[in-house]
Amino acid sequence: MAKYIFWRILQMIPILLGITLIVFLLVRVSGDPVLLMLGEEATAEQIEALTKSLGLDRPLYVQYLSYLGDVLQGDLGMSLRYVNQPALEIVMERLPATLTLASTALLIAILISIPAGIIASVNRHGLPDYLASFLSVFGQAIPNFWLGIMLILIFGVTLQWLPVSGWDNPWSVLLPAFTLGASLSAVLTRILRSSLLDVMGQDFIRTAHAKGVSPVHVIFGHALRNAALPYITLIGLEASSLMAGAVVVEQVFAWPGIGLLAVQAIGSRDMAVVQTIVLFAAVIVMSINLIVDVLYSFIDPRIQHG
Amino acid sequence: MFKRMKTGASALALLIGISGAAFAQDREIVVAQGIDMPGFDIHDHRNTAVEAVMINMFDYLVMRDEKGVLQPALATDWEVISDQAIRFNLRKGVLFHDGTEMTAEDVSFSLDRVTKDPSVQLNLFYKAISDVEIVDEYTVIVRTHKPDAILLNRISNVGSGIVPKHYVEKVGWEGFATAPIGTGPFKFVEWRRDDRVIMDVFPEHWRGRAHWDRLVHRTIPESSTRVGELMSGGVDIALPVPEQELARINATDGVETKPSPTSRVMNLFLNTKEGSPLHDPKVREAVDLAIDEQGLIDLVMGGMGVPTRASIVPGITDVPMELFGTYLYDPERAVELLKEAGYGPGELTIPLAGPKGRYPRDAELLEVISVMLNQVGIKTELSILEWSAFQSRYWGIQNIDGMVLIGNASPLGDGYQQTYRFVCGALWSEMTGWCDERFSELVLAASTSTDRVERPKQLGEAYHILTEGRPILPLFQLENIVGMSSAIDWTPDANESLWMYRAHPKGN
């Protein structure tokens, strides 16, 4: 197992290199930060002077190699939007907000999907099943920015039960986390329902019923454990979509996490910050995938990595 | 901020069964904008919305009142001792937020960097200043390289905010950028990037204590969320409010909207170079007559804005105000002029470019202008680009291919600012291909004139020449909309400042 994990970590290096190159190029072809910074009143001399002082007048490959060299030494560059402040520090201070949001969203998705999936599969073709199916299709179909704005209108503006935006107190996370978790809970409900139905038709479940095991124990003791594999796989796969969804949700709720930072940094062509965010996101997603793969062998010992 | 306590704490209060009264707290005012601070280095930023927040923590020697008139602040009075020098007498007993007293040393130190270091963004406005002489502890003389009529305008901006020398020397400008100290009515407490800046009242402020114990500036990029916060009582003042939200706010009890005039005028810059159809003055006049400025304001801007024939707004010194509040619109005459210039209906095509998302409703403005031009028989090739792409293709590389839409602000509040770049050989003259000897002579004379009688005449005539020459077609003064709680007494001023010292709870 240790050898497997080591190899997986080694494989991350060329992927990360590729990612740095792509992001580096994308940020540079999409617009000139100098023109953005100087605004309407810029003169040609000012543009030239700032371009030079930021090192943007050098050939692209020189800029990229010097960036890579700096990254290896732990220097991810200075932010352009936040004058003279290090990109790494700016990104790091946002991690807690995004992790809080994403983990609450995941928790909400799990808390909704497990009972919903069980009820739907137990009552196959019954009203609860149709209701759960309808809600999960609905949850997947609505765009999260729209859901976010609706939740703000209902719970923030009209009922005034929850804070509208920002991260002021522990209640602030509920609306954005529900918005972010809604579509995930829909996907998870559907997968749990179908894999439970699969398992419920198998011989060992019939045997359990024949032995007189209580239906509750059959579901929680036998069926759920066997249906968990695709469910956990999906959580791993959807981790990256949680990160992507956070970009939109954080913008809507002014949630001061990495997603909001990414949007603002891209808008102002804050190159060092954009590059740092993408590097972080890549490492996080790859780590989650690795953890899920390792978890497999614990849940199902038949799966061996070697 | 009164309703605010309901939001966060209501669920908790319900759960544990205690009353909202237990959450009573100090008087807090919350202001929300769409952008965050770049930091608090007062010399290294270029954004009115940033200065609007900083002004709460810093004072200048001279500051504008709500009408835009310059008033004594950290300087109690001043004397023009030559056309290149002004002596300022400083207010005694002014304290910085750390309790030390402000002296001439601090004034000299504060102005030294912004006037001499070209790497800071505001140096552009201050490099005209040559030196600041300390006469005694409470007197300084500010000198300029050349005679400068707008020295007072220059030093009434945040770039000339007075900072404590001893503190900046200790923490450096980088340290200052995240933990600033000034003499303003509010002192810095905390900055959470992309979330909020928290300031507490500075009770020893020389003007007296502000009405608020705490001032919070929040960053809420999404306008519908900003409005949602306003309507739920989470913020007291929200800006800008998009025009489509006006009705929703005005239909709600407890909140209202107010116009917030800006110094920005939306303009079309025209390529008058040879080879361009706009080289012919008749075609330029036809374009001017084809555009219904009031129509643009009503149709696109929700009635917010004032038409103008010059890039000027009230409060700017030495400008011909008869050109403000008026516009030309005569589509029949436009058709005739085009005919005289040799163009029948549909025979003339002019490129029209502009940014999207830079100014309120910019893309919609371009579309409606295009339709208006179409109605007199001018076809347009419309390019609407995201700001950075627009900069790279047109404005930033000084390439006007036909007409471009740009909004120009006048942060120094003087008429020279929108004219000097049209002097022959200067940037905008080169970009548009327009050069007028008499105009250049007048503007150059005004640039060094300190004669309060002659200067308005010089700039007035220059503006009239520019208006007739039409390398630039000013459309209207941009007005933002501010949404605010009806419980607060505050009126947005001509400086676009969010100086909350002036705001107070109604009835107090």
Side-chain angles (χ1 to χ4, degrees):
Chain A
M1 177 59 76
K3 201 174 156 197
Y4 170 75
I5 295 174
F6 175 74
W7 274 112
R8 283 288 300 268
I9 290 173
L10 219 56
Q11 280 170 12
M12 286 183 184
I13 294 169
I15 298 175
L16 281 175
L17 265 180
I19 288 171
T20 56
L21 180 63
I22 292 169
V23 178
F24 183 87
L25 292 176
L26 278 182
V27 177
R28 273 153 188 82
V29 296
S30 65
D32 187 347
V34 172
L35 296 174
L36 273 176
M37 285 165 79
L38 293 176
E40 284 88 350
E41 311 287 315
T43 62
E45 296 81 55
Q46 283 175 309
I47 293 170
E48 200 188 318
L50 188 57
T51 306
K52 206 165 174 187
S53 82
L54 294 175
L56 298 174
D57 56 336
R58 299 171 299 169
L60 265 187
Y61 74 92
V62 177
Q63 289 183 44
Y64 178 66
L65 290 178
S66 110
Y67 165 66
L68 268 191
D70 290 344
V71 170
L72 288 178
Q73 293 171 44
D75 175 7
L76 289 153
M78 298 299 254
S79 166
L80 298 178
R81 176 172 162 238
Y82 292 118
V83 181
N84 286 332
Q85 295 164 62
L88 182 63
E89 179 192 312
I90 293 170
V91 175
M92 288 299 282
E93 73 179 15
R94 301 302 185 86
L95 269 178
T98 297
L99 291 180
T100 306
L101 174 63
S103 51
T104 315
L106 184 62
L107 187 69
I108 289 175
I110 292 172
L111 287 179
I112 294 174
S113 62
I114 290 183
I118 293 173
I119 293 169
S121 63
V122 171
N123 300 286
R124 192 180 183 185
H125 300 314
L127 185 65
D129 186 18
Y130 289 129
L131 195 66
S133 298
F134 169 76
L135 283 178
S136 72
V137 171
F138 188 72
Q140 266 185 287
I142 47 171
N144 52 13
F145 68 87
W146 183 84
L147 179 64
I149 291 171
M150 288 302 119
L151 291 177
I152 287 177
L153 273 179
I154 296 167
F155 294 102
V157 178
T158 310
L159 299 172
Q160 300 199 2
W161 287 357
L162 290 166
V164 170
S165 68
W167 191 11
D168 206 9
N169 58 49
W171 303 101
S172 307
V173 75
L174 286 183
L175 288 184
F178 186 81
T179 309
L180 185 58
S183 71
L184 180 60
S185 75
V187 184
L188 290 178
T189 304
R190 285 163 68 92
I191 195 88
L192 187 62
R193 173 188 177 273
S194 64
S195 56
L196 267 177
L197 285 175
D198 251 8
V199 173
M200 300 284 253
Q202 287 182 21
D203 291 346
F204 72 97
I205 296 289
R206 207 174 319 130
T207 311
H209 279 302
K211 277 164 65 186
V213 179
S214 77
V216 173
H217 189 72
V218 170
I219 290 170
F220 288 97
H222 300 282
L224 203 56
R225 192 162 173 203
N226 283 283
L229 201 59
Y231 185 83
I232 290 175
T233 310
L234 199 65
I235 289 180
L237 289 175
E238 290 287 322
S240 53
S241 63
L242 267 185
M243 296 285 291
V247 172
V248 177
V249 172
E250 287 183 4
Q251 177 85 4
V252 170
F253 287 94
W255 185 261
I258 288 184
L260 178 59
L261 180 65
V263 175
Q264 302 295 324
I266 290 166
S268 49
R269 301 295 183 278
D270 193 346
M271 298 189 273
V273 172
V274 175
Q275 285 158 193
T276 309
I277 292 172
V278 176
L279 264 185
F280 263 78
V283 171
I284 290 173
V285 170
M286 285 191 287
S287 310
I288 291 172
N289 286 344
L290 177 60
I291 291 167
V292 170
D293 283 353
V294 173
L295 269 183
Y296 279 169
S297 40
F298 287 103
I299 298 165
D300 187 346
R302 286 171 299 180
I303 297 172
Q304 293 285 319
H305 297 299
Chain B
M1 202 50 243
F2 317 109
K3 267 200 283 178
R4 180 179 180 73
M5 292 322 295
K6 279 206 291 187
T7 56
S10 62
L12 184 65
L14 282 172
L15 280 176
I16 55 178
I18 53 174
S19 84
F23 291 89
Q25 64 164 51
D26 294 343
R27 228 180 232 177
E28 178 175 278
I29 185 164
V30 185
V31 182
Q33 293 195 93
I35 63 147
D36 194 15
M37 298 287 105
F40 298 92
D41 184 335
I42 55 171
H43 299 149
D44 211 2
H45 73 91
R46 280 286 298 280
N47 195 324
T48 322
V50 168
E51 171 156 5
V53 178
M54 286 181 174
I55 194 173
N56 290 293
M57 286 182 270
F58 301 98
D59 291 311
Y60 326 145
L61 294 179
V62 185
M63 292 174 84
R64 290 177 187 276
D65 64 14
E66 59 269 40
K67 293 190 182 74
V69 180
L70 297 168
Q71 301 287 358
L74 293 184
T76 49
D77 56 294
W78 50 89
E79 184 193 350
V80 179
I81 49 180
S82 81
D83 58 4
Q84 283 177 259
I86 300 182
R87 179 172 39 229
F88 293 92
N89 292 318
L90 303 180
R91 193 175 293 279
K92 291 175 184 162
V94 173
L95 296 182
F96 285 111
H97 299 153
D98 63 356
T100 54
E101 195 192 355
M102 179 207 72
T103 65
E105 283 276 347
D106 300 303
V107 175
S108 166
F109 175 81
S110 302
L111 291 175
D112 192 56
R113 177 179 180 234
V114 73
T115 53
K116 296 200 171 66
D117 182 354
S119 73
V120 295
Q121 296 185 52
L122 284 176
N123 174 255
L124 179 70
F125 295 145
Y126 291 93
K127 61 185 179 189
I129 295 172
S130 59
D131 75 288
V132 181
E133 183 194 333
I134 301 170
V135 179
D136 60 39
E137 213 176 354
Y138 298 107
T139 315
V140 292
I141 296 174
V142 178
R143 292 200 176 81
T144 52
H145 292 288
K146 288 190 286 187
D148 186 19
I150 56 171
L151 179 57
L152 289 179
N153 299 51
R154 292 186 199 282
I155 60 161
S156 55
N157 286 287
V158 76
S160 42
I162 304 305
V163 299
K165 181 182 176 195
H166 67 277
Y167 179 68
V168 181
E169 282 181 342
K170 192 173 115 199
V171 299
W173 282 103
E174 278 170 31
F176 187 85
T178 50
I181 287 182
T183 60
F186 294 93
K187 60 183 177 192
F188 177 82
V189 175
E190 189 188 1
W191 175 35
R192 295 184 220 153
R193 291 188 185 98
D194 269 334
D195 186 21
R196 66 195 66 207
V197 178
I198 301 171
M199 290 166 256
D200 273 350
V201 69
F202 178 51
E204 291 85 27
H205 181 57
W206 57 272
R207 291 178 202 263
R209 195 182 201 280
H211 294 281
W212 310 96
D213 301 310
R214 177 160 275 211
L215 165 61
V216 179
H217 265 278
R218 287 197 51 195
T219 303
I220 307 179
E222 192 62 35
S223 57
S224 64
T225 312
R226 207 153 58 231
V227 172
E229 279 285 16
L230 174 72
M231 293 173 66
S232 70
V235 307
D236 302 298
I237 296 174
L239 75 158
V241 166
E243 176 267 326
Q244 60 269 26
E245 299 273 12
L246 263 179
R248 182 158 80 108
I249 297 176
N250 289 332
T252 308
D253 285 341
V255 285
E256 59 194 41
T257 55
K258 285 186 178 174
S260 168
T262 74
S263 77
R264 197 175 289 278
V265 172
M266 298 307 298
N267 299 300
L268 283 181
F269 277 70
L270 273 46
N271 174 14
T272 72
K273 291 173 190 161
E274 231 163 307
S276 160
L278 292 162
H279 180 62
D280 187 339
K282 285 183 178 165
V283 178
R284 299 207 290 275
E285 191 180 347
V287 171
D288 191 1
L289 295 178
I291 299 172
D292 174 6
E293 278 81 355
Q294 191 59 51
L296 286 177
I297 294 168
D298 293 338
L299 266 173
V300 185
M301 309 307 292
M304 308 297 290
V306 183
T308 178
R309 293 193 64 204
S311 210
I312 56 177
V313 300
I316 295 186
T317 45
D318 298 345
V319 292
M321 285 312 288
E322 67 272 14
L323 292 174
F324 183 79
T326 176
Y327 65 106
L328 299 181
Y329 175 56
D330 187 347
E332 284 89 30
R333 178 72 190 131
V335 175
E336 280 171 29
L337 281 166
L338 286 173
K339 210 169 164 188
E340 287 168 25
Y343 298 106
E347 285 176 14
L348 174 62
T349 304
I350 306 176
L352 169 62
K356 179 177 167 60
R358 173 74 174 181
Y359 315 107
R361 316 275 284 170
D362 43 13
E364 290 85 351
L365 274 176
L366 286 159
E367 280 161 12
V368 177
I369 290 170
S370 170
V371 171
M372 286 174 173
L373 293 174
N374 251 305
Q375 283 172 346
V376 300
I378 302 174
K379 286 189 190 164
T380 55
E381 277 167 16
L382 192 56
S383 312
I384 302 178
L385 297 165
E386 178 270 328
W387 174 249
S388 152
F390 171 77
Q391 279 270 50
S392 312
R393 291 266 295 278
Y394 298 97
W395 191 251
I397 57 159
Q398 288 126 41
N399 168 32
I400 298 179
D401 184 19
M403 303 180 276
V404 300
L405 178 78
I406 277 283
N408 299 97
S410 301
L412 292 185
D414 182 73
Y416 175 65
Q417 214 173 358
Q418 296 300 328
T419 46
Y420 78 98
R421 287 194 168 147
F422 279 111
V423 168
C424 294
L427 183 62
W428 292 349
S429 163
E430 294 288 308
M431 280 164 84
T432 57
W434 184 83
C435 161
D436 185 286
E437 294 299 335
R438 173 73 185 149
F439 170 87
S440 303
E441 201 180 292
L442 287 163
V443 173
L444 289 176
S447 75
T448 53
S449 164
T450 48
D451 185 332
R452 283 285 152 217
V453 180
E454 276 307 306
R455 195 169 183 272
K457 286 185 197 160
Q458 291 162 337
L459 281 178
E461 190 186 340
Y463 267 104
H464 277 278
I465 295 172
L466 190 65
T467 305
E468 292 309 315
R470 295 188 175 88
I472 176 176
L473 291 182
L475 302 171
F476 56 86
Q477 175 194 19
L478 204 60
E479 278 188 339
N480 286 332
I481 306 169
V482 172
M484 56 184 286
S485 156
S486 309
I488 287 170
D489 197 350
W490 178 71
T491 306
D493 59 35
N495 321 319
E496 297 173 61
S497 122
L498 293 169
W499 195 48
M500 286 300 122
Y501 186 80
R502 203 177 280 139
H504 53 89
K506 272 193 186 149
N508 278 44

